[in-house]
Amino acid sequence: MSVAGLPKNEANVLRGHEGAVLTACFNGDGNYCLSCGKDRTIRLWNHHRGIHIKTYKSHGRKVRDVHVTPSNLRVMLNILAELRPSICVRNKVRGQLDNSNLCSCGGDRQVFYWDVTTGRVIRKFRGHDSEVNAVKFNEYASVVVSAGYDRSLRAWDCRSHSTEPIQIIDTFSDSVMSVCLTKSEILAGTIDGTVRTFDIRIGRELSDDLGQPVNCISMSNDANCILASCLDSTLRLLDRSTGELLQEYKGHTSKVPNGVLNVREGEVFVIERNERFSKTLNPRLKFIDF
């Protein structure tokens, strides 16, 4: 992909947060997005129209990360139809709302499990000893995995009424900043400069040492590659099967490319989180073409 093919015009500025935006993420089909930040809120947006749909409030401190259940493609449409019927064609599929959930984490050392529609906190998972940096649902949205400053990963059962973790991985030597999941693996990016893969089925741990603190990781759609954002302002692409460093991407002028990395169909999306609003480019933020 050439530089000429990059989007150059700002499509929308999503204003509403009263503090720095720390994370932004899309739902599965990219039609809606969620943001969270230092104002202790999570906000749901239609970024195409620049419309704020709903605010989720319950955190007592900054919200560092948010993730939506994989089944929420239709749920987002349902919510938009209910709250803003004048701008949305009403979706006929109902019943999905019963399984519409978010998870979030932040400075209050807890993982919050939300009902998307009502904005109610279903459960709070407690156990981390310091700030929680990242959260992810598994494929079936039955388990949430969280990564914390306390050098641990913790897994939580969303179907149980227990607030205790069902698994703790605490073999790290520094803070765990980011987490990705496959059907049988947990991947973590850490400040100790490694990307670690834990195979839950066979109890195996693999470690790839990048030599630089890792701030954020994201997996390609085919799950063959991992993209790691490091604190030396460099993005590194790894082959998961061999650990080989496939490519390094430089160009960030700031010390830390501390954004959300989404790998889709050979494209890399980077959202830097140092403003009080979220910017989206049209059609997409295509920074890298593999």
Side-chain angles (χ1 to χ4, degrees), residues 42 58-66 102-114 121-136 144-150 154 156 163 165:
I42 301 164
S58 192
H59 279 277
R61 295 182 180 272
K62 62 185 175 184
V63 189
R64 297 188 62 92
D65 196 20
V66 61
L102 304 173
C103 61
S104 62
C105 64
D108 37 23
R109 306 182 183 183
Q110 302 176 69
V111 175
F112 286 52
Y113 181 52
W114 304 78
V121 176
I122 300 171
R123 198 164 298 118
K124 296 179 183 180
F125 298 114
R126 300 177 175 90
H128 281 283
D129 296 329
S130 57
E131 288 190 10
V132 187
N133 295 317
V135 286
K136 284 291 187 300
V144 172
V145 177
S146 57
Y149 268 116
D150 59 0
R154 296 171 189 256
W156 315 87
T163 58

Side-chain angles (χ1 to χ4, degrees), residues 186-224:
I186 301 174
L187 292 85
T190 72
I191 294 297
D192 63 16
T194 63
V195 175
R196 303 196 192 189
T197 302
F198 301 90
D199 191 319
I200 305 303
R201 295 172 304 179
I202 61 177
R204 181 182 65 182
E205 176 183 345
L206 298 176
S207 180
D208 297 306
D209 191 350
L210 301 184
Q212 293 290 335
V214 178
N215 187 58
C216 186
I217 61 172
S218 186
M219 196 181 312
S220 60
N221 277 358
D222 60 9
N224 290 329

